[in-house]
Amino acid sequence: MVSAAEQMAANTSWSALGKATDLRNRILFTLGLLIVYRLGTFIPVPGIDGQALREFMEQAGQGIGGMVSMFTGGALGRMGIFALGIMPYISASIIVQLLTSMVPALEQLKKEGEQGRKKINQYTRFGTVALATVQAYGLAVSLESGDLATDPGMFFRMSTMITLVGGTMFLMWLGEQITARGIGNGISLIIFVGIIAEVPAALAQFFASGRSGAISPAVIVGVIVMVIAVITFVVFMERALRKIHIQYPRRQAGMKIYEGGSSHLPVKVNPAGVIPAIFASSLLLLPVTISTFSSGATNGPVMSWLLANFGPGQPLYLLFFASMIVFFAYFYTFNVSFKPDDVADNLKKQNGFVPGIRPGKKTAEYLEYVVNRVLVLGSAYLAAVCLLPEILRGQFAIPFYFGGTSVLIIVSVTMDTIQQVQSHLLAHQYEGLIEKSQLRGKGKKRGRKGPSRR
């Protein structure tokens, strides 16, 4: 007879998807909203000269313009209603989280549980509206200065601002709905789909350059090998753990004495996941998007300096990118994903302890020490994955945006989504086993009662 554990292992495969109705509905709901997002990227902002925009983006596609367009799913290249993408929401989240760790009132609000979290989310939405408004106005002025507007003026600016801010808020709502009622993290999936949608066109352009002789076959083979190596390395590092041994003492419940057990506390090498790369990319894209679209006119000294020093492959660009990745890796880990004080407090409540370390403050200090050492490797891994393709792309002049950030997002979001799907399948199988055990229990009770009645 097949054991319950073997049944669980067999039914957590993809063939069990047809039986898990709730999971199937969640997946269909997520796919439906992502299709809505993709359709919205093709709806243009009114008042844009389409021909002039295409010519401009062909020139800008070799530089930062290609990077920005890829992160918005091509909406910026077509100047669609989702041209700002989800980046204003991510930037607002960065600001609110920074303020939460620095402002005592917000820090206290964060400790109030669900009500505090809702209030912080509300502040994040207000910040998103403010940032999107500023970016939309700057983009509208830049479009006018670049001769990309058919009828420049105040009406064009206002209509562009309303359209772009509304598109960003709609994307934020889509992401929240996917997270709550779908599968996976909605914001990450929106960025993921935007990148995936642009990959086929980028690959076609890349191979076309190879056929025309602009790129040697050795470079093409090298890029393919590098992509496979980076994906393998990312999967390995995302699964890497540092296990901290946890011991539980003997305890007495009534007249029974239960032996103490041991377990381990898993600390990921990269506890922050893909968040540092997304945060760092959003900060880079914020000023450079405006400067890119202003390049058709006379730029001020600040915009000219940004274009000269913050293009892909430039030393300041690489230095800023690496420093922001390292900063957000530490910041997000200790403020969101792994808080040593909270973990130590939970262990103390469960009577667990690290052998040789006193519970409470000493345990928190030890956990912070371990996580700090692990994050040295984790942040270095993130920076290397994000920067190495940038450096190679600048050296070999690959004619499409291939970045480690894109690969990191694709691999991390795919692994996270698959893990959530498997968790739902596992929960569905648990429910099935419980129902079966209850039915068997009822049948046995009826069988025992039958003879006694006779």
Side-chain angles (χ1 to χ4, degrees):
M1 184 176 178
V2 180
S3 65
E6 291 172 338
Q7 289 179 2
M8 294 290 292
N11 289 325
T12 51
S13 63
W14 292 107
S15 61
L17 185 61
K19 301 177 182 178
T21 306
D22 178 66
L23 176 59
R24 186 172 66 250
N25 292 337
R26 283 177 173 270
I27 293 176
L28 292 177
F29 179 80
T30 301
L31 291 176
L33 293 191
L34 292 177
I35 290 173
V36 170
Y37 159 62
R38 286 304 302 160
L39 292 176
T41 60
F42 291 93
I43 302 176
V45 173
I48 302 295
D49 187 344
Q51 182 62 32
L53 179 66
R54 282 191 294 271
E55 293 176 358
F56 175 80
M57 289 308 298
E58 286 177 1
Q59 299 173 359
Q62 301 295 328
I64 192 72
M67 174 182 174
V68 177
S69 184
M70 176 168 280
F71 269 91
T72 58
L76 184 64
R78 295 182 288 269
M79 197 47 61
I81 60 175
F82 297 150
L84 292 181
I86 203 67
M87 290 304 175
Y89 176 76
I90 296 174
S91 302
S93 300
I94 297 171
I95 296 172
V96 171
Q97 289 183 16
L98 285 171
L99 292 176
T100 301
S101 61
M102 293 185 295
V103 179
L106 290 176
E107 188 175 1
Q108 181 62 32
L109 194 64
K110 190 177 181 180
K111 297 178 180 178
E112 294 180 1
E114 185 66 20
Q115 285 300 116
R117 188 182 65 82
K118 288 181 180 180
K119 201 70 176 177
I120 291 175
N121 287 342
Q122 189 176 5
Y123 293 152
T124 305
R125 294 189 185 100
F126 290 151
T128 303
V129 174
L131 287 176
T133 302
V134 173
Q135 292 184 41
Y137 178 77
L139 195 54
V141 173
S142 301
L143 289 169
E144 287 184 349
S145 63
D147 296 328
L148 301 178
T150 56
D151 187 17
M154 184 56 66
F155 179 77
F156 169 77
R157 296 182 185 179
M158 292 301 297
S159 62
T160 301
M161 288 173 60
I162 293 172
T163 303
L164 294 179
V165 173
T168 296
M169 299 308 294
F170 181 72
L171 279 185
M172 183 184 70
W173 179 81
L174 281 184
E176 292 177 350
Q177 292 299 309
I178 291 174
T179 302
R181 301 170 58 188
I183 196 79
N185 183 281
I187 303 300
S188 299
L189 280 175
I190 287 175
I191 300 174
F192 167 81
V193 170
I195 295 173
I196 286 293
E198 294 298 300
V199 168
L203 288 176
Q205 182 184 2
F206 177 58
F207 288 119
S209 300
R211 286 194 297 270
S212 63
I215 301 178
S216 65
V219 173
I220 294 177
V221 174
V223 169
I224 294 174
V225 172
M226 186 182 71
V227 171
I228 296 173
V230 169
I231 291 175
T232 305
F233 181 61
V234 170
V235 172
F236 174 77
M237 292 299 292
E238 289 298 319
R239 290 182 174 272
L241 296 173
R242 163 71 160 87
K243 296 181 179 181
I244 301 176
H245 184 69
I246 304 296
Q247 187 71 35
Y248 294 94
R250 297 173 61 183
R251 61 188 180 90
Q252 183 174 356
M255 299 297 293
K256 292 185 178 180
I257 297 178
Y258 295 91
E259 292 293 331
S262 62
S263 181
H264 67 268
L265 178 67
V267 178
K268 294 184 66 176
V269 172
N270 177 29
V274 73
I275 297 298
I278 295 177
F279 280 6
S281 299
S282 67
L283 288 182
L284 278 174
L285 299 183
L286 177 63
V288 180
T289 301
I290 305 300
S291 65
T292 299
F293 277 92
S294 300
S295 59
T298 303
N299 286 328
V302 176
M303 291 300 181
S304 300
W305 185 83
L306 283 174
L307 282 174
N309 295 280
F310 275 82
Q314 297 296 325
L316 280 179
Y317 173 90
L318 298 176
L319 179 62
F320 181 77
F321 200 11
S323 60
M324 286 297 98
I325 288 174
V326 173
F327 169 76
F328 283 121
Y330 277 87
F331 174 80
Y332 192 83
T333 297
F334 285 111
N335 287 275
V336 180
S337 60
F338 190 95
K339 298 180 180 179
D341 291 334
D342 294 346
V343 175
D345 188 50
N346 291 332
L347 285 175
K348 188 176 181 180
K349 291 177 180 178
Q350 298 170 5
N351 293 324
F353 63 93
V354 180
I357 307 295
R358 293 182 62 182
K361 185 179 179 181
K362 291 295 183 181
T363 300
E365 292 175 354
Y366 173 75
L367 292 176
E368 184 176 357
Y369 169 74
V370 172
V371 175
N372 268 316
R373 293 182 63 187
V374 169
L375 275 178
V376 171
L377 179 60
S379 59
Y381 138 72
L382 284 176
V385 169
C386 293
L387 295 185
L388 182 60
E390 294 283 350
I391 298 172
L392 294 178
R393 191 173 72 92
Q395 294 294 324
F396 294 101
I398 300 173
F400 76 95
Y401 179 74
F402 171 78
T405 307
S406 303
V407 176
L408 187 66
I409 292 172
I410 290 172
V411 175
S412 300
V413 174
T414 301
M415 290 174 60
D416 179 64
T417 306
I418 291 176
Q419 186 177 4
Q420 289 196 30
V421 170
Q422 291 177 341
S423 298
H424 279 279
L425 289 173
L426 200 62
H428 173 73
Q429 181 58 21
Y430 267 122
E431 293 173 0
L433 289 176
I434 292 172
E435 290 176 0
K436 289 179 181 179
S437 64
Q438 289 176 346
L439 290 174
R440 289 172 183 171
K442 290 179 181 179
K444 291 179 180 179
K445 289 179 181 178
R446 292 193 191 98
R448 290 173 181 171
K449 289 181 181 179
S452 61
R453 290 177 181 175
R454 292 177 185 174

